[in-house]
Amino acid sequence: LETKHGSISGAAGYGAVYMTALDGLPLSESGAVLLGLVGRCNNTGARIERSTEPRGIHPAVWRVADPGRAPILMERVAATFTLPAKRADGWNITPLDARGRPVGAAAPIASMDGKLSLPLDNRSHRAPLMLLRRENP
């Protein structure tokens, strides 16, 4: 997916990959962007199986045979997010949990050739969301 405001490429995995400007500006001008890498989630040990009970016109019905227990495991999703950047300095990225709470410290990043290009993976960052913020706009 590529637009004049940014692009998402190399998406891998089964889930959702997205960019959202949090300040109402186009992505290319925004100082706060939420990046999402959300995969399928299950409790540890969860088991879903096909039910043998017929249900009207539906040929296959699935049921939760065992809900499992914590921790919740999310399948891997990865992608490269690219945004135009007028300034190369002052950018930070913070991993967030599903409720938007930081799960690690903000890490500085720098743009190259007028672009921010971020290869991200929810497994390596152990988070489904990333907050990309320019500190001094």
Side-chain angles (χ1 to χ4, degrees), residues 39-83:
R40 291 186 291 198
C41 301
N42 284 312
N43 286 335
T44 301
R47 216 174 71 244
I48 299 171
E49 62 186 29
R50 190 173 182 157
S51 174
T52 57
E53 300 173 20
R55 305 257 190 202
I57 62 169
H58 303 289
V61 176
W62 299 88
R63 72 179 188 92
V64 176
D66 183 347
R69 63 194 180 293
I72 296 174
L73 302 176
M74 185 184 314
E75 290 184 12
R76 178 182 179 265
V77 177
T80 298
F81 297 87
T82 304
L83 291 164

Side-chain angles (χ1 to χ4, degrees), residues 7 17 25 31 40 53 60 63 68 71-72 79 85 89 97 105 108 113 124:
S7 66
V17 177
L25 296 171
R40 291 186 291 198
E53 300 173 20
R63 72 179 188 92
I72 296 174
D89 60 340
D97 69 10
D113 300 326
S124 58

Side-chain angles (χ1 to χ4, degrees), residues 5 20-33 134 137:
H5 297 290
T20 303
L22 298 177
D23 53 12
L25 296 171
L27 286 167
S28 58
E29 299 170 25
S30 179
V33 178
R134 190 173 57 231

